[in-house]
Amino acid sequence: MRKPYLNYCLLMSLLFACPGLMAQERIDVHTRDISMVFTVGASGRLYQSYLGTRLASNSAPADTVMEAYAQGGGSYLFEPAIRIVHADGNPSLDLRVDSWRVDSTTDNNIRVTCIVMKDPVYPVTVVLELKAYLRENVITSSVRISHAEKSPVRVTNFSSSMLHFHADSYWLTQWHGDWAREMHMEESRLTSGIKIIDSKLGTRADMYQTPVFLLSLDGESTEETGKVLAGTLGWSGSFQLLFEVDEKDRLSVLPGMNPYASDYVLDPGKTLKTPEFIFTYSDEGRGLASRNLHDWARSYGVLDGRGSRMTLLNNWESTQFAFNEQKLDTLFGETRRLGADMFLLDDGWFGNKYPRNNDHTSLGDWQENKVKLPHGIARLEKDAAEKGVKFGIWVEPEMVSPKSELYEKHPEWVLKLPNRAENYFRNQLVLDLVNPAVQDFVFRVVDDLLTQHSGIAYLKWDCNRMMTNAYSPYLGSRQSNLYIDYVTALYAVLERLRAKHPAVPMMLCSGGGGRTDYGALKYFTEFWPSDNTDAVERVYIQWGYSYFFPANTIACHITSWGKEPLKFRTDVAMMGRLGYDLDVSKMTDKELSFSQQALKDYRRLGATIGQGDLYRLLAPYGSDRAALMYVDKDKKKAVLFGYVLHPRYGSSWAPVQLQGLDAGKVYRVKEINKYPGTKAELVEDGRTFTGEYLMKAGLSVLGKKELTSMVVEITAE
Ligand code: DGJ
């Protein structure tokens, strides 16, 4: 049923069809606690008048200074959100609001505002779509660009959004790194001019720069204080986050697909849809911004975000490519002995003409290797079932090894420059996913696995390289569409797969943390944050991701990479989705019984960690310790983690004040994950306190010695 408000919108849109009759018009996009207000100027141009905490409807001034989606080629002198070169070569665009509407959806927590803009001279239509998630205080912004010119146009800029701020100072927090050193955090003040965070990797967004940011206004923010915009782009390819401070110290933020080498050739009647820019605003610091994004992600951003997660034993670190049926049978048994839910078979199970015994061959030849697995996957399913554990398997279906039967059969399916030497990364090449035949192949690889093997309960989808020498034999003269079309094609394959296999949990992996974005996470239940599983490194890496992603999406495995005590490694891995990747047969009795108990405790507490509200209490940056906690929505259960990294001799710390509890409730605090034969380190262990006391006085969750940690279960009486 249309609400009167919607009819009002319709009326306004009819009025807009008659330019000149209209006075200024306002378009409000509200969530429960934040507002974004647009003004349509008398000329029909669209302006952003306000972005911040919630305003009463119609209380923003009709500010017509900052163009809400500025167009290049006319009088706008800064970085445009959009620029089009028309079929006749004219490089200008002049967008006027034609109509706007609020679409109702079946979910009354979502309000979708579509602002339709048209050029009076050229038949170009641009629709700015804003989805307001009321409860979560998250807004997503995306744009659809189409035209009815006689021949293709070139779209050279295509931001997903354009946001404006006017504050005394702007502080940008960004994350960057490389393989095995993901999510290094850095904060700097934005100065006059342009700052760009981007990647040009094609198959993945992340590796050197991560498509996420925090923007603090009027000074640096803390966990509990300050005005903060937290934003991330839902796109698994080359991206750009552009920040421009103009001569009047106003800031424009332009997030989107990277326009680098991507002048998009758009046919008449076709639509270029930008990815969603996902953002929230908080005037109570970073913690609230993260919790907003986590709530949104679990309900809307991640597949089965509200579901439970399986614990697992993975074999990548312990066996690499060297395993066979007998070995795997033993590993199923060890998974069972450990008490994990599932065994995940990693790379190395396929290829016959070129067996996958190292990373130089076989990608593309997705048949079981007959030497390692003479009875195929079917035997593994059976053996795992007999041991009472679930079975998961690794694939990397977008890739091809130059030494593979697939490459021999289809050299034209590979992205590579025709007249230059092949350029390898991890000895492999990328398939030309833009080609529909390749899409069918990739779909079939995964579909066959899942259809022929109902015992496969989990998939790890890897992507171990970026594009270099990027050239699609399929695209011919439209090479500048490649970066965008590749990712669109990937999503099309994932759509098809999810239509047929909606529920199977999948891990998003890209040579460590190369794909950590909400564009792909719609199809995946979790992601692999980094190949670096050293526990101290992981405190920082997992902490970094926690600003944008909830704990149930962050896969954290205990391995032998680092030399920290097993208890420390376990306590670090427990702050996300817990898993193991080590040789269980080498564990001592104490190590094994400690791990078995940890898995039992995680089974009890996983929902609080995965679904609860995160409070980052003490950050590890520039310090020697860290503490964080998760609190159930009903505030009846919480889990607190404290880590001591590498303190100076004689360091000691004050009790850590907790957050997020109910001040009036009485809680019992109990240290868990105690190593066999050791006593509780927590001075307050076993006692009860009011929530008020715990939040004002705190708990001594930090010990004195390096590489020690505590996990405390907090339960309302
Ligand atoms: C890279 C991933 O990040 C690792 O976990 C592992 O799956 C290897 N690929 C296998 O080749």
Side-chain angles (χ1 to χ4, degrees):
M1 200 184 74
R2 278 181 94 85
K3 295 184 186 133
Y5 175 67
L6 302 181
N7 291 332
Y8 169 76
C9 299
L10 198 66
L11 174 68
M12 297 321 292
S13 60
L14 287 174
L15 286 171
F16 274 116
C18 320
L21 290 181
M22 266 314 294
Q24 288 180 335
E25 173 61 15
R26 194 185 337 259
I27 304 172
D28 286 354
V29 176
H30 298 301
T31 68
R32 193 188 58 200
D33 301 326
I34 64 178
S35 294
M36 188 170 187
V37 180
F38 299 91
T39 301
V40 185
S43 62
R45 295 184 83 86
L46 184 69
Y47 300 90
Q48 181 196 305
S49 304
Y50 178 82
L51 172 56
T53 47
R54 171 86 196 224
L55 290 177
S57 289
N58 288 327
S59 67
D63 196 345
T64 52
V65 178
M66 302 311 293
E67 293 249 13
Y69 198 68
Q71 305 108 62
S75 57
Y76 188 71
L77 294 173
F78 298 91
E79 190 67 18
I82 184 168
R83 181 174 169 271
I84 288 181
V85 180
H86 299 279
D88 64 4
N90 185 315
S92 68
L93 191 64
D94 177 10
L95 293 177
R96 311 290 173 112
V97 175
D98 178 75
S99 62
W100 64 279
R101 60 179 194 272
V102 179
D103 288 338
S104 45
T105 70
T106 48
D107 182 342
N108 59 18
N109 183 49
I110 307 176
R111 180 97 13 111
V112 185
T113 304
C114 290
I115 305 172
V116 181
M117 295 176 279
K118 294 194 168 165
D119 188 314
V121 175
Y122 287 92
V124 170
T125 303
V126 174
V127 182
L128 176 62
E129 180 180 289
L130 296 136
K131 276 192 201 156
Y133 295 83
L134 311 187
R135 273 193 308 273
E136 295 79 10
N137 294 310
V138 165
I139 298 177
T140 64
S141 169
S142 64
V143 170
R144 294 191 295 274
I145 304 163
S146 58
H147 72 94
E149 299 194 15
K150 291 212 165 50
S151 45
V153 304
R154 273 191 301 127
V155 191
T156 69
N157 294 71
F158 28 64
S159 283
S160 293
S161 171
M162 182 172 201
L163 304 180
H164 301 287
F165 302 91
H166 201 177
D168 280 346
S169 61
Y170 309 103
W171 294 85
L172 179 70
T173 311
Q174 66 187 96
W175 282 264
H176 60 93
D178 196 352
W179 177 79
R181 51 186 303 273
E182 290 87 348
M183 294 309 265
H184 282 239
M185 183 171 102
E186 194 170 345
E187 182 164 31
S188 55
R189 187 173 176 161
L190 288 173
T191 53
S192 188
I194 287 183
K195 157 110 185 171
I196 289 177
I197 297 170
D198 79 339
S199 75
K200 302 181 177 74
L201 303 169
T203 58
R204 40 159 73 163
D206 197 356
M207 178 143 169
Y208 307 125
Q209 303 288 338
T210 312
V212 298
F213 69 91
L214 296 178
L215 175 70
S216 306
L217 307 171
D218 293 324
E220 291 152 283
S221 57
T222 68
E223 283 296 319
E224 298 100 43
T225 62
K227 301 175 198 161
V228 193
L229 181 97
T232 177
L233 190 75
W235 185 243
S236 313
S238 308
F239 74 94
Q240 186 184 78
L241 305 173
L242 186 145
F243 305 83
E244 182 167 29
V245 178
D246 71 11
E247 83 292 358
K248 294 201 167 55
D249 290 329
R250 290 171 307 208
L251 170 70
S252 304
V253 180
L254 292 152
M257 300 180 289
N258 199 335
Y260 165 75
S262 293
D263 281 10
Y264 197 85
V265 183
L266 185 64
D267 284 319
K270 294 268 191 255
T271 301
L272 175 62
K273 185 172 182 335
T274 75
E276 286 185 332
F277 174 58
I278 302 140
F279 66 95
T280 183
Y281 179 84
S282 150
D283 66 350
E284 291 171 33
R286 300 158 173 229
L288 178 61
S290 294
R291 289 188 290 279
N292 288 347
L293 288 176
H294 296 172
D295 284 341
W296 172 84
R298 284 185 292 247
S299 294
Y300 301 104
V302 176
L303 189 82
D304 196 24
R306 296 255 162 233
S308 59
R309 299 289 185 263
M310 286 187 280
T311 56
L312 58 87
L313 175 67
N314 187 195
N315 68 315
W316 175 243
E317 293 282 327
S318 62
T319 70
Q320 299 263 306
F321 300 94
F323 55 81
N324 57 24
E325 212 168 81
Q326 290 72 35
K327 174 73 184 171
L328 293 177
D329 195 37
T330 311
L331 294 181
F332 297 147
E334 292 188 343
T335 309
R336 172 70 183 209
R337 202 148 67 99
L338 190 61
D341 299 318
M342 185 204 11
F343 175 79
L344 169 61
L345 172 60
D346 216 287
D347 196 352
W349 57 266
F350 50 93
N352 283 299
K353 181 172 177 187
Y354 303 104
R356 180 76 169 172
N357 292 328
N358 54 53
D359 63 16
H360 285 253
T361 67
S362 329
L363 293 171
D365 301 346
W366 299 104
Q367 299 81 35
E368 298 98 315
N369 175 271
K370 293 205 168 71
V371 177
K372 291 185 204 179
L373 306 177
H375 304 96
I377 292 174
R379 168 65 69 89
L380 303 181
E381 292 173 90
K382 187 167 156 285
D383 288 350
E386 276 171 16
K387 295 286 180 332
V389 295
K390 303 260 190 224
F391 174 67
I393 198 162
W394 176 98
V395 280
E396 194 180 4
E398 297 154 78
M399 300 289 156
V400 61
S401 304
K403 265 195 169 181
S404 67
E405 293 183 75
L406 181 68
Y407 184 93
E408 287 167 356
K409 199 167 158 207
H410 286 295
E412 79 287 3
W413 277 10
V414 178
L415 291 183
K416 58 173 185 171
L417 287 163
N419 50 357
R420 302 208 184 264
E422 288 179 356
N423 182 269
Y424 305 126
F425 187 92
R426 209 194 189 213
N427 315 301
Q428 64 194 55
L429 293 159
V430 184
L431 287 175
D432 186 2
L433 202 56
V434 177
N435 182 340
V438 176
Q439 289 174 35
D440 283 345
F441 170 81
V442 171
F443 170 80
R444 266 201 324 276
V445 167
V446 183
D447 180 43
D448 284 354
L449 272 175
L450 294 176
T451 309
Q452 290 164 18
H453 302 287
S454 58
I456 294 183
Y458 179 96
L459 272 185
K460 175 177 178 182
W461 182 309
D462 209 341
C463 163
N464 278 295
R465 70 159 295 171
M466 69 297 288
M467 285 182 202
T468 54
N469 288 14
Y471 182 94
S472 155
Y474 181 80
L475 278 175
S477 62
R478 292 196 175 185
Q479 293 302 319
S480 59
N481 286 15
L482 174 56
Y483 284 116
I484 293 175
D485 284 355
Y486 183 92
V487 181
T488 311
L490 172 66
Y491 293 160
V493 172
L494 288 165
E495 265 316 308
R496 269 172 84 187
L497 279 168
R498 280 308 182 191
K500 194 156 172 205
H501 309 280
V504 62
M506 290 209 297
M507 180 201 275
L508 177 62
C509 177
S510 182
R515 278 183 177 166
T516 53
D517 61 80
Y518 284 117
L521 276 171
K522 276 205 268 296
Y523 310 100
F524 291 81
T525 41
E526 55 196 36
F527 66 90
W528 185 233
S530 174
D531 279 347
N532 189 339
T533 43
D534 174 284
V536 171
E537 286 294 324
R538 274 300 185 113
V539 169
Y540 292 91
I541 293 170
Q542 293 163 195
W543 194 277
Y545 284 113
S546 84
Y547 286 94
F548 302 92
F549 301 98
N552 64 342
T553 62
I554 307 176
C556 306
H557 295 180
I558 301 160
T559 74
S560 304
W561 177 310
K563 299 297 161 239
E564 300 90 351
L566 181 64
K567 169 168 168 58
F568 186 85
R569 284 180 276 153
T570 305
D571 290 359
V572 171
M574 247 203 193
M575 71 154 98
R577 197 280 285 134
L578 177 65
Y580 288 76
D581 191 349
L582 40 66
D583 191 342
V584 179
S585 70
K586 292 203 177 121
M587 281 183 163
T588 63
D589 289 349
K590 272 189 181 173
E591 285 174 337
L592 184 63
S593 71
F594 167 74
S595 305
Q596 288 165 336
Q597 185 59 43
L599 277 158
K600 279 189 197 138
D601 286 341
Y602 189 80
R603 192 155 288 139
R604 190 176 68 254
L605 300 172
T608 304
I609 294 165
Q611 304 288 330
D613 285 333
L614 167 66
Y615 293 86
R616 287 177 296 258
L617 305 173
L618 291 172
Y621 306 109
S623 78
D624 301 311
R625 78 283 178 270
L628 72 160
M629 67 189 287
Y630 299 94
V631 186
D632 267 355
K633 294 284 178 194
D634 63 9
K635 298 184 186 294
K636 286 189 180 153
K637 177 75 85 184
V639 190
L640 168 68
F641 296 86
Y643 306 105
V644 178
L645 307 177
H646 295 293
R648 298 289 308 272
Y649 175 77
S651 296
S652 65
W653 291 281
V656 176
Q657 290 156 17
L658 311 195
Q659 290 181 32
L661 299 174
D662 181 338
K665 281 194 165 61
V666 173
Y667 294 93
R668 187 169 298 279
V669 301
K670 183 166 168 273
E671 184 179 339
I672 59 166
N673 275 14
K674 282 177 294 194
Y675 200 70
T678 64
K679 291 209 208 73
E681 291 283 320
L682 184 74
V683 182
E684 302 90 342
D685 188 42
R687 293 170 56 193
T688 57
F689 302 91
T690 61
E692 182 190 34
Y693 178 87
L694 292 171
M695 293 192 286
K696 287 187 173 164
L699 282 181
S700 21
V701 72
L702 299 169
K704 286 194 167 49
K705 294 196 208 104
E706 77 168 350
L707 302 180
T708 56
S709 49
M710 278 186 227
V711 183
V712 183
E713 181 175 351
I714 300 169
T715 313
E717 293 273 278

